[in-house]
Amino acid sequence: MKHLREPRPALRLRRRVLQTALGCLALPFVPALAWADEFEGDPLKSFAWPGMRREFLGRDARVTWDDRRVVVEGPRFAEDPMNVPISVRVDAALGPVQEILVLVDRNPIRKVLSYEPQQALPRIAFRFRLEQGSPVRAAVRTADGRWHVGSAFVASTGGGCTVSGVTRADGSWSRTLGEVSGRMFTPTQDATRLRVRVMHPMDTGLVAGIPAFYLSRLSLRDGQDRELARLASFEPVSENPVFSFDFAQPPEGGVFIVGNDNNGNRIRSRLQ
Amino acid sequence: MRARLARRALSCACLAAMAAPALAQQVDTQRLDYGLVARALAPQVWVVEGANADFSPANGCNIINTAFIATGQGVLVINTGPSRLYGEQLRALIARTTTEPVAQVVHLNLHPDYFLGNQAFADVPRLATESTRAGIQAEAASYETNLYRLCGDWMKGTETLHPDKTFDAAARHGRWRVGTREFEWWALQGHTASDLVLLDRVSGVAFVGGLVFADRIPTTPHADVPAWLASLEQLRKIGLKTVVPSHGPVHAGDRGLEQTQRYLQWLDSSFSAWAEQGLEMNEALRAAVPAEFQAWAAFDTEYLRNLVHLYPRYELRALGPARP
């Protein structure tokens, strides 16, 4: 794990003194004060974080750094910056999860997706475009409104967001737009997994002359049309995205996926 | 008499050298000197061995084995290395090693370290199959950028000088006469869309390019695993004697071929099983890999690349056809 910047010794000392002092008091408002350093406690010490926290989590957001219970996994380096696999797993000990928000510090577009697991397990896997080496964050909002943030660092030689995808480059995207393939799997004893691919060029808007064009909303529904989980996805998600959604039990009466892109094209498919 | 003794001493030296691991070349990163050494594998046949590792500035990004053969009517060069500097140093090494002038160059596939030394061979014909020539046309610009990023100063002044003559491989297999020597060649595929294999008939030295990796994780940016495995079966039937792979040590017989085969078979069956089980890429990346493969050179980086290149194909097969 690469540290973006080593804290100065004086700062480190000051923080230790503060932490000790606050630890003794154990007050409920500790988090707001604990970030006496300029990185607000970010273990990866990214200068981008405080601004991201304000923009995406809220000015008064309460943040707990928790790599143990919010596990973000990625490769050490991005061999294919157009398709960087990320998986997020939230420990059941955190209780019910309202939202999993995935953010990337050094991407020109930082918000990758927002997942509301509802009836599903708080886990998601997908691939995204990475512009340069960067921390990848999963911010998990629990019922009490608190954010629990886990991170991973993915190194890269760069260039994922500003290059056209394969189907955009060869023009074949229009023939397959919105087509869906997917299947239920049993990767482990305790989970049923839906893996689904939706054909979409997922244009970031950062390639000259090609406006942003991306899947913006996907809803997973059971056989009775009850919503199981909801996903808002944004420009950085990879072309023809493959998502993995986990459930404790196989959904009743099969699964439907419905949704649309930012141009209003609809997706509706029965998966199982 | 003395000549015969010298020859016998030479052939003994060759056998000893073949049995021993390749000598490390003395890379000088200050002077940008690759320290290239020509090792005779047979009379008039030399190999120039790169590090058995991944690209890094410390090894000058010299991870390829190139070769040259004095044919009696000029030298045939097999692959020209990763950079202009390499090409120049290789050309100087050839001039120090044999009195014959360089007559032509052949590229066994489209990968960057097979041709980026071409600027030092601008005055001779440079051959590649039609498919490899087309591949170099398409990929050269991104190779240059990538290698500059990975290797830094070693790449100074490197620009692609394309192969300018087609090696006619339409027959898939044939004989090719160069000077006094005859080569048997096979146009195979699987490591890339076109993998040329050359066998020097007199010495029995086979130049197998990227189809065989020895003690090293294979590279797969253009791989088609089933086609690759079929090509290895074909190579096995030839009965290889002295094998010069592009990556990993020169060795005797099918050792490297069998390693590559075992690895690709494991990759194929594991990726297929994991995809059927529904593993996503990070889970697959962290799944157990046999100790044998973990011990090979470049495992840390190359296996991750293999998975990123190839696993999506297995995933798609497991997901089934797309429907509106």
Side-chain angles (χ1 to χ4, degrees):
Chain A
M1 198 117 341
K2 194 184 285 180
H3 284 236
L4 299 183
R5 196 186 139 176
E6 285 300 320
R8 294 191 303 273
L11 231 156
R12 215 182 297 151
L13 181 68
R14 196 189 316 157
R15 193 168 55 197
R16 196 172 308 145
V17 170
L18 253 174
Q19 279 166 349
T20 315
L22 292 168
C24 295
L25 294 170
L27 293 176
F29 57 83
V30 166
L33 290 174
W35 317 138
D37 70 292
E38 58 195 314
F39 307 108
E40 300 189 351
D42 173 15
L44 296 180
K45 302 192 187 339
S46 159
F47 283 111
W49 174 254
M52 289 167 64
R53 200 257 309 144
R54 277 196 301 279
E55 182 179 352
F56 299 108
L57 309 188
R59 179 161 294 277
D60 303 316
R62 293 174 298 158
V63 170
T64 307
W65 294 99
D66 195 346
D67 282 342
R68 204 166 48 80
R69 291 188 294 184
V70 179
V71 179
V72 182
E73 282 184 339
R76 278 187 300 114
F77 64 93
E79 164 63 8
D80 178 1
M82 311 271 285
N83 289 284
V84 178
I86 291 293
S87 53
V88 180
R89 256 189 349 264
V90 183
D91 193 312
L94 272 191
V97 167
Q98 308 291 309
E99 180 186 5
I100 300 173
L101 183 61
V102 176
L103 303 170
V104 179
D105 295 34
R106 290 182 176 178
N107 254 13
I109 301 169
R110 287 171 166 161
K111 192 170 176 179
V112 180
L113 59 80
S114 156
Y115 181 49
E116 295 171 40
Q118 300 179 19
Q119 308 302 313
L121 294 170
R123 304 174 191 170
I124 187 165
F126 60 93
R127 298 198 266 271
F128 84 105
R129 293 177 165 101
L130 180 64
E131 183 63 14
Q132 56 182 318
S134 174
V136 178
R137 320 283 189 172
V140 173
R141 184 163 52 85
T142 43
D144 57 3
R146 181 180 291 281
W147 291 93
H148 306 261
V149 183
S151 317
F153 191 92
V154 182
S156 177
T157 51
C161 295
T162 47
V163 184
S164 285
V166 177
T167 62
R168 167 62 70 188
D170 70 9
S172 66
W173 67 272
S174 62
R175 292 196 297 277
T176 54
L177 185 73
E179 287 186 3
V180 175
S181 47
R183 214 180 110 189
M184 286 291 195
F185 296 90
T186 315
T188 54
Q189 299 275 316
D190 63 340
T192 295
R193 174 172 294 169
L194 173 67
R195 303 203 76 204
V196 56
R197 179 169 83 143
V198 184
M199 299 301 285
H200 204 285
M202 300 297 289
D203 296 309
T204 58
L206 301 175
V207 180
I210 305 173
F213 180 42
Y214 58 92
L215 283 172
S216 48
R217 189 186 64 94
L218 290 174
S219 170
L220 301 177
R221 314 184 82 85
D222 70 9
Q224 283 74 50
D225 203 30
R226 287 176 299 209
E227 186 162 67
L228 299 166
R230 184 186 295 187
L231 180 73
S233 56
F234 299 92
E235 296 92 327
V237 171
S238 293
E239 177 187 26
N240 303 328
V242 178
F243 299 104
S244 301
F245 305 104
D246 287 5
F247 298 89
Q249 305 289 337
E252 279 172 41
V255 180
F256 291 83
I257 183 165
V258 298
N260 55 263
D261 65 23
N262 67 331
N263 278 15
N265 297 299
R266 292 196 177 158
I267 286 115
R268 182 172 182 86
S269 188
R270 184 192 167 85
L271 288 169
Q272 195 100 2
Chain B
M1 178 68 187
R2 189 180 293 169
R4 201 182 304 152
L5 262 179
R7 205 174 308 141
R8 190 175 302 159
L10 184 70
S11 72
C12 287
C14 290
L15 283 175
M18 262 191 60
L23 294 169
Q25 311 195 11
Q26 290 298 312
V27 180
D28 186 331
T29 53
Q30 292 301 310
R31 291 171 41 241
L32 297 180
D33 183 351
Y34 290 97
L36 301 182
V37 175
R39 185 159 73 87
L41 295 177
Q44 311 303 314
V45 180
W46 293 271
V47 64
V48 184
E49 293 155 303
N52 187 14
D54 196 7
F55 288 127
S56 87
N59 59 34
C61 284
N62 171 20
I63 61 168
I64 191 170
N65 302 324
T66 59
F68 57 97
I69 297 140
T71 67
Q73 287 169 31
V75 173
L76 171 68
V77 180
I78 301 178
N79 299 328
T80 59
S83 68
R84 176 192 184 124
L85 274 175
Y86 183 102
E88 289 167 356
Q89 292 174 25
L90 175 63
R91 185 111 193 213
L93 175 69
I94 294 169
R96 289 198 301 275
T97 311
T98 167
T99 52
E100 288 187 33
V102 173
Q104 55 186 328
V105 166
V106 62
H107 307 294
L108 300 182
N109 75 36
L110 79 167
H111 285 156
D113 45 0
Y114 289 56
F115 70 85
L116 281 178
N118 276 7
Q119 283 159 294
F121 299 91
D123 57 329
V124 295
R126 299 173 303 277
L127 282 75
T129 64
E130 206 173 328
S131 162
T132 294
R133 290 186 70 181
I136 291 174
Q137 284 288 349
E139 303 271 10
S142 73
Y143 287 161
E144 289 167 9
T145 325
N146 250 327
L147 283 192
Y148 269 97
R149 282 193 191 121
L150 287 169
C151 318
D153 279 357
W154 289 99
M155 300 304 296
K156 276 196 286 199
T158 302
E159 278 171 19
T160 300
L161 180 65
H162 288 269
D164 59 353
K165 201 173 160 195
T166 299
F167 185 101
D168 182 3
R172 315 304 296 166
H173 172 226
R175 300 219 167 158
W176 181 37
R177 190 151 197 98
V178 186
T180 61
R181 294 185 99 94
E182 191 174 52
F183 293 92
E184 197 167 351
W185 60 265
W186 291 263
L188 302 174
Q189 58 282 314
H191 172 60
T192 70
S194 168
D195 297 297
L196 189 61
V197 169
L198 291 181
L199 172 67
D200 174 34
R201 305 236 335 135
V202 173
S203 67
V205 176
F207 303 91
V208 295
L211 285 173
V212 172
F213 282 73
D215 308 332
R216 191 202 194 275
I217 300 290
T219 61
T220 53
H222 298 96
D224 172 338
V225 173
W228 193 339
L229 284 167
S231 289
L232 289 177
E233 256 327 295
Q234 221 174 319
L235 271 186
R236 184 199 290 279
K237 289 187 194 128
I238 297 168
L240 298 173
K241 289 199 244 336
T242 303
V243 179
V244 181
S246 288
H247 305 284
V250 176
H251 56 274
D254 287 341
R255 186 171 74 88
L257 186 154
E258 283 168 2
Q259 284 184 345
T260 310
Q261 205 167 33
R262 267 202 306 284
Y263 182 74
L264 293 176
Q265 279 163 349
W266 173 80
L267 215 73
D268 188 51
S269 62
S270 306
F271 286 8
S272 182
W274 296 341
E276 281 300 322
Q277 212 183 318
L279 298 197
E280 51 86 17
M281 212 186 254
N282 281 300
E283 290 166 335
L285 193 53
R286 285 157 181 82
V289 177
E292 179 193 9
F293 307 145
Q294 291 190 48
W296 292 350
F299 173 79
D300 280 347
T301 45
E302 214 64 70
Y303 175 63
L304 195 162
R305 293 188 183 124
N306 295 161
L307 195 111
V308 169
H309 298 152
L310 301 174
Y311 193 61
R313 298 181 203 170
Y314 294 85
E315 283 180 322
L316 286 192
R317 205 185 301 156
L319 286 178
R323 294 179 307 271

